[in-house]
Every structure is written in C-alpha cells, then in structure tokens.
Amino acid sequence: MRTKVLMVCLGNICRSPLAEGILKSKLDKETIQVDSAGTASYHIGKKPDSRSISIAKKYGIDISQQRCRQFTAKDFDEYDLIYAMDRSNYENIVALAENENAIAKVNLLLHRSNATNKEVPDPYYGGEDGFEEVFQLINAACNLIAQDINHK
Ligand code: 4NP
C-alpha cells in the first residue's frame, strides 16, 4: 500500500513545497503519495517562492507546478505521516487534531536527522543562503524517510 505523506510549514511557499518535491524525487508514485500544506492562509493558490523554485531546480527538482493550500483537520484522515517543519507548525497542526491517533501521525521533519534543534528554519525573510541550508536539512531528513519506506 502506498504511504501518504504530508509536509507542513507556515506559508506552504518556502519549506514544505521543497520537502514535497525532494521526497517525491526519491521514491516512485507506486510507493508514495506526497503533498504539502501551510498552517496559514496567506498564500493559498500561489506558486512556491521563487527562491525555493530556484534551489530545487539547482538540484534537478521541479516544484514550479505546486500550488499553496491550507492544512485542514481532514488531512488527518487522508495522510499516514504528517511532518512539521518547526515547533510552531507542529503546535498549530496538533491543535486541530481530534484524537490521539491523529496526534500520533505528526512529527517534526528533523526529529531523527538533526539532533541539535530539530527545526527547519523559516527562510522567508532571509537571503538565498537560507534556502541552501533549508534544502540540505530537508534532503537529509527525506533520505531517512525514503529508506524507511523502502524497507517497509
Ligand atoms: P514557509 O515560509 O512557512 O516555509 O512557507 C513562510 C512563507 C511566508 C510567510 C512566512 C513564512 N509569511 O509570513 O508570509
């Protein structure tokens, strides 16, 4: 059975579109279904931030066709694994959960790959360097997720 994974950040224009594109690039469609969403509604319907599109392109991944959507409580029914980019996203997601089963699906994306602070920093107000760092953090986490799903 396909594993359904949802990547979540605040705006769904910088970090989670990258996480969606990166994880999709590591596994085929028969194995995994990946989507992304934001906890906020500011950018619904918009393309990913041009800096995220550029950094993905640098590594051979096209995320330009993605469109922003907001996370909703229905996503708990649809997805098996829900990854939050930072603790604030995590809290916003869990606040919409109706039971323990839903809460158990949610984890910080970096909970295994980055022992120190476990958060993908928000790159929105920073420079291009921030997007390179974000790409590398997300890529390392997605390697572990892809390995786990392959060995299931
Ligand atoms: P993201 O970054 O959560 O990685 O998509 C942000 C995008 C937009 C805003 C904040 C963070 N904003 O305040 O509009």
Side-chain angles (χ1 to χ4, degrees):
M1 220 179 60
R2 283 200 307 174
T3 305
K4 295 183 177 181
V5 180
L6 183 65
M7 301 295 193
V8 183
C9 62
L10 175 62
N12 190 213
I13 56 166
C14 296
R15 292 165 292 177
S16 60
L18 275 174
E20 175 185 338
I22 292 169
L23 187 59
K24 270 184 184 161
S25 76
K26 296 179 189 295
L27 292 163
D28 58 41
K29 284 189 185 131
E30 286 72 48
T31 312
I32 198 166
Q33 177 183 323
V34 193
D35 193 15
S36 64
T39 58
S41 60
Y42 326 127
H43 302 285
I44 291 173
K46 295 214 190 107
K47 284 185 182 187
D49 188 285
S50 58
R51 297 164 295 176
S52 283
I53 293 177
S54 296
I55 197 76
K57 198 172 171 192
K58 175 179 167 189
Y59 292 100
I61 298 169
D62 180 8
I63 63 165
S64 65
Q65 300 310 307
Q66 293 183 31
R67 293 296 178 269
C68 172
R69 76 167 177 92
Q70 191 170 20
F71 180 84
T72 76
K74 279 192 199 133
D75 288 315
F76 289 115
D77 302 328
E78 183 67 18
Y79 292 90
D80 306 308
L81 300 169
I82 299 172
Y83 288 110
M85 299 299 122
D86 65 31
R87 288 189 179 82
S88 165
N89 311 147
Y90 180 92
E91 293 303 330
N92 289 331
I93 296 164
V94 164
L96 296 175
E98 281 167 7
N99 54 54
E100 290 299 316
N101 189 36
I103 293 173
K105 293 181 175 188
V106 191
N107 248 314
L108 286 172
L109 180 70
L110 305 190
H111 75 287
R112 282 163 57 212
S113 59
N114 180 344
T116 45
N117 105 348
K118 304 185 198 305
E119 295 193 297
V120 182
D122 182 346
Y124 187 62
Y125 294 106
E128 304 283 336
D129 286 2
F131 284 77
E132 179 72 42
E133 183 196 2
V134 160
F135 185 97
Q136 297 304 335
L137 287 169
I138 293 173
N139 190 50
C142 288
N143 279 335
L144 295 177
I145 295 169
Q147 256 174 33
D148 283 355
I149 292 174
N150 269 332
H151 294 144
K152 231 172 51 171

